Amino acid sequence: MSKEKSLFAIELCISFIFILLLIAPISLLNAGNVEAGKDKSIVCSACHGQNGNSINPLWPSLAGQHQQYTIHTLKAYQNGTRLDAVMQAQVMTLTEVDFEDIAAYYNAQKMEEKDYDYALAKKGESLYRGGNASTGVAACIACHGPTGRGNPGAGYPSLAGQHAEYTEDALKDYTNGERKAGLNDMMQSLAARLTTEEIEAVSEYIQALGSK
């Protein structure tokens, strides 16, 4: 085989591998051992539930969350870009492998269905799907998807089925600056334009999405 043909073959193989990486499912690109994560998450279960479904509505359920989002969140607590005394103490000694294993375990769990206020959720559905043009609030559906499952490739978390009380608190924390968004300041900007009633309604709809 000529030198030119050999170089062409190598370039072709590299291009093929690159294309496979681009189209490969996110789950195949994520590392992490589910069984190892199950053992490592025992401490986490005190607040987030044995299978990632928290029984306290003020604490988030982690079941079904995208691996990369969970890893990013744990790193944020560890490096101090996200503040919470309890969480920072828990992740202080964890390694990259620990993050990957824990994230893989929670991603493999299923969010449990929850009861919800139908009338309130219907009000929230309008905001989630259509936003509020008069106040400049974009539709949540744009980033978190029609079913609330988010977009793992873009770093947007799954919200479907999350406790309404936790979501309310998170939106209020974005509003008052106590919580910083990991990707940009989008959430602070949007949350600041929401009324208390809108926050309650859209949070209830997000909880209801776990039952769809």
Side-chain angles (χ1 to χ4, degrees):
M1 182 182 292
S2 67
K3 182 178 180 180
E4 289 78 11
K5 289 184 177 179
S6 296
L7 288 173
F8 177 74
I10 293 172
E11 291 174 356
L12 191 64
C13 288
I14 293 174
S15 298
F16 182 68
I17 292 171
F18 182 69
I19 291 172
L20 283 178
L21 288 173
L22 286 178
I23 65 176
I26 295 294
S27 60
L28 294 180
L29 300 178
N30 286 329
N33 183 292
V34 174
E35 286 304 312
K38 181 179 182 179
D39 292 336
K40 295 175 181 180
S41 70
I42 291 176
V43 175
C44 314
S45 66
C47 295
H48 300 290
Q50 190 172 12
N51 60 353
N53 286 281
S54 167
I55 60 173
N56 186 331
L58 293 175
W59 296 332
S61 288
L62 307 179
Q65 188 56 264
H66 307 306
Q67 288 179 245
Q68 283 305 122
Y69 182 79
T70 300
I71 292 171
H72 175 82
T73 301
L74 292 173
K75 287 182 177 179
Y77 282 125
Q78 192 177 64
N79 63 32
T81 55
R82 185 166 172 179
L83 303 177
D84 182 279
V86 175
M87 283 302 303
Q88 288 175 289
Q90 294 297 332
V91 303
M92 188 180 301
T93 61
L94 296 183
T95 66
E96 180 80 18
V97 173
D98 293 332
F99 290 157
E100 292 173 352
D101 291 342
I102 291 170
Y105 172 69
Y106 283 124
N107 177 251
Q109 307 311 303
K110 183 178 180 181
M111 181 74 79
E112 294 177 353
E113 295 184 4
K114 302 175 181 65
D115 294 331
Y116 60 91
D117 183 320
Y118 179 81
L120 185 59
K122 285 299 290 183
K123 293 179 181 178
E125 180 179 15
S126 176
L127 185 66
Y128 184 94
R129 295 184 173 278
N132 187 338
S134 65
T135 56
V137 176
C140 312
I141 196 174
C143 296
H144 297 288
T147 61
R149 307 298 174 183
N151 184 335
Y156 298 124
S158 175
L159 303 179
Q162 188 58 263
H163 293 295
E165 287 185 50
Y166 173 78
T167 303
E168 282 184 44
D169 282 351
L171 289 172
K172 290 174 182 176
D173 285 345
Y174 278 129
T175 300
N176 59 33
E178 290 185 16
R179 179 168 174 176
K180 305 295 183 183
L183 297 175
N184 47 49
D185 293 331
M186 183 189 303
M187 284 306 303
Q188 286 94 328
S189 176
L190 291 177
R193 300 170 187 168
L194 294 171
T195 66
T196 300
E197 291 73 20
E198 286 176 328
I199 288 177
E200 292 177 355
V202 77
S203 298
E204 193 71 17
Y205 179 66
I206 287 169
Q207 178 168 305
L209 280 173
S211 301
K212 295 183 180 296

